[in-house]
């Protein structure tokens, strides 16, 4: 078993720098969409447990590796925008980001990161994958997985509405875990809590 880490929108593979070292017992792979540098899409051979954050969950579900054995979706969701039968973020929020992105992509990324609690600086950006993934956040709805899922949410998440946090992955037997003081960046806010969640999930798959 190995761990595959998939980051969310507006971040990169270094997002996992606090959590990954707490899980040394497993081989680890990290992907990178290339928002701030070179993209990275590691080949995943054999069984793996995916550890995803936010939009990284949708990315993983859209193209799951053949050996996917389980998923720990931290601040994750299978669909971002709301529909009449699915709670989520209002579509107009993403539409506004897309319009502003066309004029000033860097400011949109800075505003988003600040909103979810990250003031860390970043260097150059590549607007193309960021815009493509904003469109996916607005439109995509990948299939639910056929593997065990643990959903880890922050009860004080400033981005995801409560109904969305509680209703995601409805229709499958996903387990839900809430961090009562946590926000939208749980792997940064409380990496030990997330590491224990990953360890528990891996143990349940053994």
């Amino acid at each position: 078993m190995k761990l595959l880490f998939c980051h969310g929108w507006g971040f990169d593979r270094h997002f996992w720098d606090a959590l990954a070292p707490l899980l040394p017992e497993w081989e680890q792979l990290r992907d990178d969409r290339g928002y701030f540098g070179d993209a990275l899409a590691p080949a995943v051979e054999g069984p793996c447990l995916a550890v995803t954050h936010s939009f990284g969950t949708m990315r993983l579900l859209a193209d799951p590796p053949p050996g996917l054995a389980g998923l720990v979706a931290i601040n994750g969701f299978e669909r971002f925008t709301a529909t009449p039968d699915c709670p989520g973020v209002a579509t107009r929020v993403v539409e506004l980001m897309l319009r502003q992105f066309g004029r000033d992509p860097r400011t949109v990324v800075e505003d988003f990161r600040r909103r979810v609690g990250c003031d860390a600086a970043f260097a150059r950006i590549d607007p193309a994958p960021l815009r493509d993934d904003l469109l996916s956040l607005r439109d995509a709805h990948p299939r639910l997985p056929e593997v065990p899922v643990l959903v880890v949410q922050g009860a004080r998440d400033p981005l995801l509405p409560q109904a969305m946090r509680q209703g995601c992955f409805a229709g499958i037997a996903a387990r839900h875990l809430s961090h009562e003081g946590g926000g939208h960046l749980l792997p940064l806010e409380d990496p030990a809590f997330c590491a224990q969640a990953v360890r528990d999930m891996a143990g349940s798959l053994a």
Side-chain angles (χ1 to χ4, degrees):
M1 181 75 74
K2 55 179 67 71
L3 303 181
L4 171 64
F5 292 94
C6 303
H7 64 82
W9 193 87
F11 292 88
D12 62 14
R13 62 184 179 274
H14 298 294
F15 178 77
W16 303 108
D17 285 353
L19 172 58
L22 303 182
L23 299 164
E25 57 267 57
W26 291 284
E27 178 184 350
Q28 301 179 6
L29 302 168
R30 303 189 198 187
D31 81 348
D32 196 314
R33 279 289 288 149
Y35 300 148
F36 309 113
D38 294 334
L40 182 63
V44 183
E45 298 180 355
C48 75
L49 171 60
V51 182
T52 62
H53 177 250
S54 191
F55 173 65
T57 307
M58 289 180 64
R59 294 197 296 108
L60 185 282
L61 295 178
D63 187 21
L68 182 67
L71 167 62
V72 179
I74 304 174
N75 304 113
F77 42 82
E78 78 278 22
R79 182 180 177 89
F80 187 64
T81 51
T83 65
D85 58 352
C86 181
V89 174
T91 302
R92 67 177 182 279
V93 173
V94 185
E95 295 281 9
L96 177 60
M97 291 176 71
L98 281 163
R99 288 196 297 274
Q100 294 174 336
F101 195 86
R103 299 189 295 270
D104 188 353
R106 187 176 184 87
T107 296
V108 172
V109 177
E110 289 174 341
D111 288 348
F112 171 80
R113 287 168 59 112
R114 193 175 301 113
R115 178 182 178 190
V116 298
C118 177
D119 290 323
F122 53 90
R124 71 173 180 87
I125 66 169
D126 184 346
L130 284 160
R131 185 180 186 281
D132 288 347
D133 289 348
L134 273 178
L135 292 171
S136 292
L137 276 165
R138 185 190 65 184
D139 301 329
H141 192 182
R143 292 181 55 185
L144 291 172
E146 298 179 354
V147 297
V149 175
L150 173 61
V151 184
V152 185
Q153 301 285 6
R156 298 185 179 182
D157 193 313
L159 180 65
L160 309 182
Q162 182 179 9
M164 179 183 181
R165 298 195 305 270
Q166 296 176 342
C168 65
F169 288 93
I172 65 172
R175 291 190 295 131
H176 286 249
L177 176 65
S178 179
H179 187 305
E180 293 309 310
H184 191 70
L185 303 177
L186 283 176
L188 299 178
E189 298 162 359
D190 196 341
F193 179 88
C194 295
Q196 188 59 52
V198 173
R199 194 168 281 114
D200 290 346
M201 184 61 163
S204 74
L205 299 176

